[in-house]
């Protein structure tokens, strides 16, 4: 058995070699790409990438603007809350003045 060789092995090996050679010949027969077409494709790809970069930059700017708007809303709400607190303090002071006025009027009547 040590000296036995499969007769079909050599046939399969020859067929594989022919297939490889046929694929190589087909690849070599393919014409080189036209430089104009290559240049057009590269230009189209560059334009596409530029458009995508602009779109990304626009989205980033929109996000930043949204953050700024949210911060402005928060600041406005805080200022409004502070104004409301000041008005409440003034209201308390007004109540005290009215109370004192009533007390003084009562004292005056006696």
């Amino acid at each position: 058995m040590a000296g036995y060789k499969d007769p079909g092995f050599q046939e399969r090996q020859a067929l594989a070699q022919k297939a490889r050679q046929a694929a190589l010949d087909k690849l070599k027969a393919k014409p080189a790409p036209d430089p104009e077409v290559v240049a057009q494709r590269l230009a189209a790809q560059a334009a596409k990438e530029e458009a995508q970069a602009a779109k990304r930059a626009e989205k980033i700017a929109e996000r930043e603007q949204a953050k700024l708007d949210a911060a402005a809303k928060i600041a406005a709400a805080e200022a409004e809350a502070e104004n409301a607190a000041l008005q409440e303090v003034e209201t308390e002071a007004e109540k005290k003045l009215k109370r004192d006025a009533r007390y003084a009027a009562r004292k005056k009547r006696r």
Side-chain angles (χ1 to χ4, degrees):
M1 279 260 180
Y4 176 75
K5 292 192 177 188
D6 184 11
F9 175 74
Q10 290 177 349
E11 291 173 10
R12 288 191 305 273
Q13 196 173 24
L15 283 174
Q17 180 60 33
K18 285 181 185 177
R20 278 194 294 276
Q21 189 61 43
L24 186 61
D25 291 342
K26 186 177 176 183
L27 184 65
K28 286 181 181 179
K30 185 177 178 182
D34 187 19
E36 290 180 22
V37 173
V38 172
Q40 288 175 350
R41 286 182 186 165
L42 289 175
Q45 181 65 26
K48 182 179 176 183
E49 289 174 359
E50 186 176 316
Q52 288 174 345
K55 192 173 182 180
R56 266 193 308 274
E58 185 178 320
K59 278 188 177 183
I60 290 170
E62 286 176 3
R63 279 192 221 125
E64 291 298 321
Q65 186 61 41
K67 286 180 186 178
L68 291 174
D69 291 345
K73 284 182 182 179
I74 290 171
E78 287 175 353
E80 187 176 319
E82 190 174 312
N83 286 340
L86 286 176
Q87 286 178 349
E88 187 176 309
V89 168
E90 289 176 14
T91 305
E92 290 295 324
E94 290 171 358
K95 287 180 184 178
K96 185 178 185 311
L97 286 174
K98 289 178 183 178
R99 197 171 47 240
D100 290 347
R102 284 193 309 263
Y103 178 74
R106 221 176 24 236
K107 281 284 211 181
K108 199 174 196 182
R109 280 186 293 210
R110 289 187 187 176

